[in-house]
Amino acid sequence: MTDIYENTEELLLAKDEPKDYGITYKHNGGNKIHGYSDSSYGVNTQEGKGTTGIIFYYGESPISWSTQKQATVALSSCESEFIAATAAATQALWLKRLLSRLTHSDEEKITILVDNKSAIALMKNPVFHGRIKHIDTKYHFIRECVERDDIEVQFVSGDFQKADILTKALPKIRFLTMRQLIGLNDLQGTACD
C-alpha cells in the first residue's frame, strides 16, 4: 500500500524522520574548543524572559549544547546576549578543564561566537560598565574571563550563528539550513570516517 501525500512539503516531512539524523565525529576535525552563544529576546512575552542557546565544538564536531530559559528579565537584546554569553563562558571553562585532564595538555583561550556587537563591546570594554550596572552581578563573570584571556569573544553573523536553532522556532527552510550547519547529518546516507 502506498501513501499519498497532498503536497511536496508533506513528502519532505515524511522523508526527514528525526531518527535518521545524528552527529558523526571525525578524528581529523582539529582539537580546539570553540562555541556559539545566542539568545532570544522578547519571544516569551508571558514572562518576558529570554532563552539562552549554547553549542560547543571540538574541532568540527558538536560536543555540548544546551537551551534554557534565562533566570532574569533582560531590558534589551544586548543584555539578553550578555546573559547568554556568561552562561557559555562557564560551560567553556568547564570544557577547558575537562579537555586538559583528558589530554594532559593546556587548552588556550576558548573562542565564543556571538551575533550582537553591542554585547561584545560590553564584554570587552570596562568603560561601558555604567550602562550595565543594573544587571545582576553574576553575569559580569564573562568580563573577568575576557580580561584574564581565558575567553575570547568574536562576532559571527546571524546567518552563521549555530546556536540560533536552540533559542526559538524557525521557519522550515531556516531550520533545515541550521540543522545541517550545526552538524546533524542524515545517517542513512553518511559513511563513517
Side-chain angles (χ1 to χ4, degrees):
M1 180 175 193
T2 60
D3 293 326
I4 299 172
Y5 296 99
E6 302 264 333
N7 58 40
T8 55
E9 187 172 317
E10 273 186 284
L11 179 61
L12 284 172
L13 289 173
K15 183 180 168 208
D16 279 352
E17 292 292 326
K19 65 183 179 194
D20 296 337
Y21 284 82
I23 300 168
T24 55
Y25 293 94
K26 300 174 184 170
H27 59 84
N28 58 355
N31 61 356
K32 281 196 59 77
I33 297 173
H34 66 283
Y36 294 81
S37 165
D38 195 24
S39 73
S40 64
Y41 171 71
V43 174
N44 181 350
T45 55
Q46 288 283 358
E47 296 181 32
K49 295 179 180 177
T51 301
T52 294
I54 302 167
I55 186 165
F56 279 94
Y57 288 79
Y58 182 69
E60 297 175 16
S61 302
I63 57 167
S64 174
W65 55 91
S66 69
T67 185
Q68 60 189 0
K69 186 176 7 173
Q70 293 179 345
T72 53
V73 175
L75 298 177
S76 67
S77 60
C78 175
E79 286 181 24
S80 187
E81 294 280 356
F82 189 81
I83 291 168
T86 299
T90 60
Q91 181 74 7
L93 294 179
W94 180 81
L95 287 169
K96 181 179 177 178
R97 284 191 300 272
L98 178 64
L99 181 64
S100 175
R101 288 185 180 155
L102 291 174
T103 63
H104 304 291
S105 64
D106 288 330
E107 175 78 14
E108 295 177 19
K109 60 184 162 189
I110 295 177
T111 301
I112 299 175
L113 297 139
V114 178
D115 64 0
N116 187 299
K117 290 181 180 179
S118 297
I120 292 171
L122 290 176
M123 291 174 227
K124 290 183 173 182
N125 192 342
V127 172
F128 292 122
H129 182 68
R131 295 184 189 177
I132 57 171
K133 61 185 174 188
H134 61 280
I135 297 176
D136 194 347
T137 307
K138 68 181 176 183
Y139 297 116
H140 293 278
F141 173 72
I142 190 165
R143 298 178 75 228
E144 186 177 307
C145 292
V146 170
E147 287 173 15
R148 284 192 322 242
D149 262 353
D150 288 332
I151 302 288
E152 179 180 6
V153 183
Q154 292 181 358
F155 177 75
V156 65
S157 165
D159 292 337
F160 300 102
Q161 175 51 274
K162 295 180 181 185
D164 190 40
I165 196 169
L166 301 172
T167 62
K168 61 190 148 293
L170 299 173
K172 182 173 175 135
I173 301 268
R174 176 82 174 140
F175 174 81
L176 295 174
T177 302
M178 291 306 296
R179 180 176 70 184
Q180 183 178 5
L181 189 63
I182 64 172
L184 279 175
N185 300 308
D186 183 356
L187 298 177
Q188 298 293 343
T190 303
C192 295
D193 282 341

